[in-house]
Amino acid sequence: MTPQTDVLDKMLTRLKLTAIRDQLESLLDEAGRRQMSLRDLLGFLCEAEIARKDQRRITMGLSIAKFPCLRTLEGFDFEAQPSVDARQIRDLAACRWVANGDSLLFLGPPGVGKTHLAIALGRTAIERGYSVLFTPAMVMAASLAKAHAEGHLEERLAHYSKPKLLIVDELGYLPLEQNAAHLFFQLVSRRYERGSLLLTSNRSVGEWGEVFGDPVVATAILDRLLHHSHVVTIRGDSYRLKEKKRSGLYKPPVAEKQS
Ligand code: ADP
Ligand code: MG
């Protein structure tokens, strides 16, 4: 390293322009090959730095979000799921609903892609700069109940209220205890018109009285959730089962017993 590049290296480090620092030689070579003007060169260097900072931000956002697995919109087979309107999902991927603090509900039977779409949309929200947290409904219910019992509910409510988008997955697989239903209501009230909620559930909203074990609490929650909301109802067979049927791995048990 010449003394001149050493000084440059130190200045770029101090300015935290690490992408420019690390790739300086190749970026300058490329700029030379393309015979860039000084103004274009400056833009070219800034682009490289922004690309790295965006990548870092997304990686960090994904680790904070705690998604259980990686799912993308590109990986969603819309043809296999005709009850989902691809245009509506692509429109939701623009994240205007997150900017507005609206809620989004994915309703439908198991295996139809609710969690897949929730994670994929959560990912697009992170790419657009929003903070996201994913939690299974039962994990959140247990965590709020524990905090309540131990006297630090406020902290837990703040934890779940902070992200711009909170994804609560699989509401309704098990009914919530009455105390948990009340805590859920407190959370929904706190987030109301501030942050977005994305909920997935195998139960229709008409059945939420049973899910929350209390029709009054369910109505109060729905009142807030549905005020500014988008509801996507998915129908059809489980995707996993369809895949297995197609590959011949799945044979209906009843048919085997006959004859
Ligand atoms: P749900 O949450 O509705 O129970 P999931 O989203 O967990 O269903 O889907 C079950 C599995 O099938 C996941 O691995 C998911 O990625 C996959 N899957 C479901 N629907 C589709 C689809 N239309 N295209 C691609 N993969 C799908
Ligand atoms: Mg699911």
Side-chain angles (χ1 to χ4, degrees):
M1 203 178 271
T2 65
Q4 202 187 4
T5 51
D6 188 37
V7 170
L8 194 51
D9 197 272
K10 286 202 171 91
M11 287 197 290
L12 289 168
T13 303
R14 193 166 155 201
L15 291 170
K16 298 192 171 66
L17 300 173
T18 54
I20 299 178
R21 180 196 66 196
D22 298 346
Q23 309 166 63
L24 191 60
E25 292 311 317
S26 67
L27 289 170
L28 290 180
D29 284 351
E30 176 71 20
R33 259 196 307 279
R34 290 206 236 154
Q35 299 184 329
M36 285 183 193
S37 66
L38 288 177
R39 185 176 290 273
D40 286 348
L41 169 64
L42 194 54
F44 181 62
L45 295 177
C46 287
E47 270 171 25
E49 193 58 50
I50 288 171
R52 173 167 308 178
K53 292 216 171 8
D54 279 349
Q55 197 48 52
R56 286 243 169 98
R57 184 180 50 74
I58 291 167
T59 306
M60 176 78 80
L62 287 172
S63 90
I64 291 170
K66 303 217 165 38
F67 293 125
C69 53
L70 189 97
R71 291 290 182 272
T72 60
L73 284 185
E74 294 74 38
F76 192 80
D77 182 356
F78 284 97
E79 279 180 23
Q81 192 46 269
S83 72
V84 172
D85 178 358
R87 240 189 7 211
Q88 185 189 12
I89 301 297
R90 296 210 175 96
D91 192 45
L92 289 167
C95 293
R96 278 184 298 276
W97 63 283
V98 182
N100 294 339
D102 298 350
S103 32
L104 173 59
L105 272 64
F106 282 116
L107 306 177
V112 293
K114 302 183 297 296
T115 302
H116 184 132
L117 288 173
I119 293 172
L121 287 177
R123 193 190 169 86
T124 63
I126 290 171
E127 285 166 2
R128 286 174 182 270
Y130 298 109
S131 54
V132 177
L133 178 65
F134 178 103
T135 174
M138 293 317 282
V139 170
M140 186 178 80
S143 161
L144 287 175
K146 183 165 179 278
H148 184 49
E150 292 171 358
H152 46 83
L153 177 62
E154 199 45 44
E155 235 169 78
R156 270 286 96 178
L157 281 172
H159 169 74
Y160 288 115
S161 303
K162 212 165 53 181
K164 182 67 182 165
L165 169 62
L166 178 68
I167 302 176
V168 179
D169 194 36
E170 307 207 322
L171 185 75
Y173 276 91
L174 291 170
L176 294 174
E177 284 172 34
Q178 204 179 26
N179 185 35
H182 276 106
L183 296 172
F184 190 85
F185 168 71
Q186 283 192 45
L187 178 72
V188 170
S189 306
R190 191 173 289 216
R191 294 188 58 87
Y192 181 56
E193 288 187 334
R194 264 186 273 160
S196 287
L197 253 178
L198 192 168
L199 276 170
T200 80
S201 180
N202 62 329
R203 311 286 291 267
S204 69
V205 287
E207 296 172 308
W208 283 22
E210 278 169 53
V211 172
F212 290 104
D214 180 336
V216 178
V217 175
T219 307
I221 289 171
L222 281 170
D223 186 52
R224 282 156 185 78
L225 272 185
L226 298 180
H227 187 200
H228 304 284
S229 70
H230 310 260
V231 180
V232 177
T233 304
I234 312 181
R235 284 176 293 275
D237 291 337
S238 157
Y239 184 80
R240 287 192 207 98
L241 226 55
K242 261 197 287 200
E243 285 288 281
K244 282 192 181 156
K245 277 184 194 163
R246 205 170 8 198
S247 63
L249 279 173
Y250 177 80
K251 294 190 178 62
V254 186
E256 277 171 6
K257 283 203 171 154
Q258 285 171 350
S259 80

